[in-house]
Each structure stands twice: as structure tokens, then as C-alpha cells.
Amino acid sequence: MRHVPSTVIVGAQWGDEGKGKIVDLLAAESDLVCRYQGGPNAGHTIVVDGATYKIRSVPSGIIQGKASAIGAGCVVDPAVLIGELDELERRGHPTAGLVFVSGNAHLIMPWHVALDGARERKLGDLQIGTTRRGIGPAYADKATRIGIRVQDLLDPKILREKIGLAVGEKNVWLERVYELEPLDDAEVLEQALIHAERLTPYIADTSLLVDRALRDGEHVLFEGAQGTLLDLDHGTYPFVTSSSPIAAGAAVSFGIGPQRIDEVIGVAKAYVTRVGEGPFPSEIQGPDQERVRELGGEFGTVTGRERRCGWLDLVALRFAVRVNGITKLALTKLDVLSAFAAIPVCVRYRLPDGTETEDFPAHQSDFHHCSPVWETLPGWECVLDGDALPEAAQAYVRFVEDALGVPVTLVGTGQGREAVLAF
Ligand code: GDP
């Protein structure tokens, strides 16, 4: 693979594309791995030598001993991060001097978790399907300028003031709107001070860190969580996440100019999954949905929730290529399709007025009411275990490349780290 100083890895679908494994692979050639958005809901699963790691906050490059940074665009649950650091240390992966957390990242506080769960319960059938880890409420407080940042942990006086203020306000919501027990600000502060002591050595200026690394000619890898269609601005709102997974989010989160990103690798499954509600044109109808789910192990890493499964959607993937500026694609889980004699691919959407389009509809109503136009490709019906793909699998990959005008440079052929073919 060609070496370039900085690469973004972005989910090109609705998340869970298998980014963890691709990041893990490319981290081997990188000096610094950076997580640029999201919180501890997106569990990356990495399987190395039979050992499974479920990583939620720290960039997965840490498994290979790479310097790992959490950017300003992330939200951090201090208890979860500390748990992860402890676990990594226990399993023989040092973190001191290797893990850096932006002082500008926001903290997920106990009221965020309480309010997230309470709001979802109250919404009932209308719920967004959040992971109830307080991520959305933490981002909301960031936007309303009442958030608590990682750097606030460095100053007990500021921390006390901010917690006191926040608890006063959040308790009104907890008690009066959601009829829950109020929080005790002294208790919250006590916990936060314990977290502060453990996390202080990890707090850093991650913009300067990345800037220096790039000036020194080091290789920096930026990893996004979730995926393009979950982007707050460009995704399928309101069924989106509360941050910016698209590639430009890396520059925003780490405070570097966008021109310093050299390569954008989009990670897409050879089919599609989506968690929770919202329109999903290429969703598989009939028993094949269950088959793909079982074969692909499509259940949430952290939540265990069943994922909805669809055939590959080239309209949505073309959109991902556009909004991220994807220069290369990694197509994961091609092996899951080995069981099928014929594989439908969604090549266009048919809109309510009868017209067909290759471009993702800008208007939500068109997206909600469109139907897929399929092209069916022959399957290969054999295990993908060699150094080369069978002819029909090659044709499937070529079909994707031709439709999108982007080369597929990595193909996932199994769960293990080694099960990847590079082209
Ligand atoms: P992420 O959030 O995008 O990293 O996605 P996950 O961590 O949920 O990864 C999806 C799952 O697919 C994990 O269990 C991976 O080990 C697995 N996986 C990744 N690539 C492949 C592949 O090429 N084939 C198969 N069968 N499984 C894969």
C-alpha cells in the first residue's frame, strides 16, 4: 500500500462496517492513530491471534502500541475511558505516554446518561434508538455552551463551579420532567476528582500533537466512528448520531487544515446493515435477511441489538464517496455473501414520480418513499480462503468500482485480522 502522511478511515454506510479491523491493519504503518468523533457507544471489535478486543474510546491502534489520540470532537465518559485504560494495561498494552486526550473534548457526566435513558423511555415508539450512554445530551450541552470539558478536570475550582451549576439545572429536568431522583453535586464532584487524578497525565493538546507529527513526516491515521449516513449534517436525519463522522470531521476535531489530509479510505460492507429506525431502501425482504444477519453476526458489539440487513446500496455508497471525498474503498465481509447463488445490488432508486436516480435524494420524502432498482450478480458459492478471489467475486468487486469510479484496495474475507486481501 502506498504510504501517505495522513489518511482518514471513514464508515461509508450506517456504521458497523468493520472499520476497526481496517484501522488495525493500517495502524501497523502509522505512527499516530486518532479518533475524531463520537463517544463510547461505537464498539470496534478487533480479533488478534484469537483474542477479542472490544474497544470503545481509545483508538484501536493502541493494540499495536501506537500513539493514540482522542480529538476535541469526541465526548469522553471518564469512567468508561479509565476502565478501558485499566483493561488495556492488564492485558499487556501500556497506555502511559501513548494515549492522549484533547483537553477540548467534552465529558459525559452522570446527568447525560440519566437524561439519555429517561428521554428515550418517554419517547416510547418515537425513540431515536440511542445507546443511552449520554452521548447525545453531552453534545447538546456542548452546543449550548454549558458542557464540561476534559481540561476542566485540571482545575478543581472550575470543576466544582461547573458541576454545581449543571446539577442545579439538570435536577429540574430529572425531577420535574422525568420524575427521577435528583443528583447530588457533592457526590458527582467527588467522583469527578477521582477521575481527574487518573486522567490528568493523558490530557494533551492534540492539535499540536498532530501538527508536529505531520511536520516530522510521520504517518497519521484518523479513525471515524459510526458512518456517513449517521452524520449529523449529511446523514438521514433524525436517525443520525450527534457528531460528524464524515471525513472532514477529522480536520475539525484535530484542528488541522483540511488540505493536510491526503487519503480518505471509505469502509463499506459488501452488503449493508442499519441499526434502529429509519428508511432503508435496500433492506432484504424474506428469509435472506435472517441468513445474512446470522452469517455476518450482525448484532451490536455493545448493545447486542439485531441489525437490519440489506443488499449493497450503490446509490448510498456513491453519496458516501461524494461527501467524504473517498479516494479508496475497503469492502469488508465479502465472505458473508459466499452462501448466495445470486446477489442483488441496488443500482438506482425509483422515486415516487416514477423517475430513477443514481444520486442520493436530497429531499427526505424522496428517500422515505423510494424503492430499489436491482441488478443481480452471480454468486461464487465457495469459501474465500485463497490469495485471490474467485472470478465471480472479482466481478462483484469490479462492478462496485465501475459504478463508483473508486478503486477497491482492500477486501475483507473473514473475521480474523489476516483475512484481508490488498490490491
Ligand atoms: P466497526 O464499528 O465498523 O469497527 O464494526 P464492528 O467492530 O462492529 O465490526 C464488525 C464485525 O465484523 C466484527 O465482529 C469484525 O470482526 C467483523 N469483520 C470485520 N471484517 C470482516 C470480514 O471481512 N469478514 C467477516 N466475516 N467478518 C468481519
Side-chain angles (χ1 to χ4, degrees):
M1 184 158 289
R2 187 167 62 92
H3 279 270
V4 291
S6 75
T7 299
V8 176
I9 294 192
V10 61
Q13 295 161 327
W14 273 285
D16 309 312
E17 298 93 346
K19 293 177 295 296
K21 189 168 99 171
I22 303 296
V23 172
D24 186 44
L25 195 74
L26 298 182
E29 301 168 2
S30 307
D31 303 294
L32 175 61
V33 185
C34 300
R35 166 85 181 266
Y36 61 86
Q37 45 72 230
N41 59 337
H44 286 316
T45 312
I46 299 157
V47 182
V48 188
D49 300 330
T52 301
Y53 293 86
K54 292 193 175 178
I55 290 188
R56 291 158 59 191
S57 322
V58 181
S60 43
I62 194 68
I63 304 289
Q64 298 180 38
K66 301 293 176 166
S68 299
I70 298 172
C74 298
V75 290
V76 175
D77 185 323
V80 172
L81 177 58
I82 290 168
E84 215 163 289
L85 293 170
D86 289 347
E87 164 91 4
L88 283 164
E89 295 271 344
R90 203 166 46 243
R91 293 177 74 175
H93 301 282
T95 60
L98 279 179
V99 174
F100 305 92
V101 186
S102 168
N104 288 357
H106 279 246
L107 289 173
I108 298 171
M109 300 299 289
W111 51 85
H112 294 134
V113 181
L115 287 169
D116 202 356
R119 194 168 296 153
E120 285 285 278
R121 277 193 296 278
K122 194 159 182 119
L123 282 171
D125 286 349
L126 293 176
Q127 63 177 259
I128 301 168
T130 83
T131 46
R132 305 186 181 196
R133 295 177 189 279
I135 295 165
Y139 275 115
D141 279 357
K142 169 181 174 175
T144 40
R145 272 68 56 82
I146 54 164
I148 299 186
R149 296 194 292 175
V150 168
Q151 62 179 290
D152 294 330
L153 293 173
L154 299 173
D155 189 327
K157 194 163 152 266
I158 290 180
L159 196 59
R160 175 178 294 109
E161 254 172 39
K162 289 197 167 185
I163 287 177
L165 220 97
V167 168
E169 189 194 310
K170 301 298 176 184
N171 276 348
V172 177
W173 281 89
L174 287 173
E175 289 185 276
R176 304 228 189 121
V177 180
Y178 298 113
E179 293 166 358
L180 292 172
E181 287 297 308
L183 290 164
D184 180 295
D185 55 353
E187 257 174 47
V188 174
L189 179 65
E190 195 186 323
Q191 261 311 308
L193 289 172
I194 294 171
H195 293 154
E197 200 175 322
R198 175 78 170 94
L199 290 180
T200 293
Y202 296 96
I203 301 173
D205 180 344
T206 51
S207 166
L208 194 58
L209 188 78
V210 170
D211 180 61
R212 286 197 175 139
L214 290 175
R215 278 173 197 273
D216 291 346
E218 293 187 354
H219 291 120
V220 180
L221 189 65
F222 298 94
E223 67 167 306
Q226 291 97 28
T228 303
L229 292 159
L230 296 173
D231 185 87
L232 180 58
D233 294 292
H234 299 284
T236 46
Y237 193 90
F239 307 104
V240 293
T241 193
S242 34
S243 59
S244 302
I246 61 169
V252 174
S253 178
F254 278 90
I256 55 160
Q259 84 284 11
R260 298 182 81 186
I261 293 168
D262 301 296
E263 195 95 79
V264 178
I265 300 181
V267 184
K269 278 188 232 205
Y271 50 98
V272 191
T273 60
R274 175 162 199 182
V275 174
E277 301 308 311
F280 187 6
S282 73
E283 185 160 23
I284 302 170
Q285 307 300 326
D288 280 350
Q289 157 125 214
E290 183 67 31
R291 234 173 129 201
V292 170
R293 182 180 303 123
E294 289 299 329
L295 288 166
E298 297 299 350
F299 304 90
T301 313
V302 176
T303 58
R305 269 193 291 185
E306 269 188 7
R307 296 174 183 151
R308 295 158 71 194
C309 298
W311 301 117
L312 189 62
D313 181 342
L314 290 177
V315 180
L317 204 46
R318 182 174 292 107
F319 173 75
V321 168
R322 166 160 48 105
V323 298
N324 292 296
I326 288 173
T327 53
K328 290 175 175 174
L329 273 171
L331 205 59
T332 62
K333 298 188 125 175
L334 191 63
D335 53 300
V336 173
L337 298 183
S338 299
F340 298 89
I343 307 168
V345 175
C346 172
V347 291
R348 290 185 297 282
Y349 292 164
R350 188 170 297 115
L351 299 176
D353 67 3
T355 58
E356 292 183 5
T357 179
E358 286 190 338
D359 293 312
F360 199 76
H363 196 292
Q364 60 185 5
S365 298
D366 284 337
F367 183 56
H368 280 239
H369 298 114
C370 71
S371 50
V373 177
W374 302 109
E375 210 162 298
T376 301
L377 306 190
W380 42 95
E381 294 185 278
C382 61
V383 178
L384 302 181
D385 55 2
D387 288 340
L389 293 174
E391 187 50 45
Q394 283 182 37
Y396 187 86
V397 172
R398 258 197 320 272
F399 188 81
V400 174
E401 289 180 322
D402 290 346
L404 302 175
V406 175
V408 172
T409 57
L410 292 168
V411 172
T413 56
Q415 243 214 337
R417 187 167 62 159
E418 67 297 338
V420 181
L421 297 177
F423 301 99

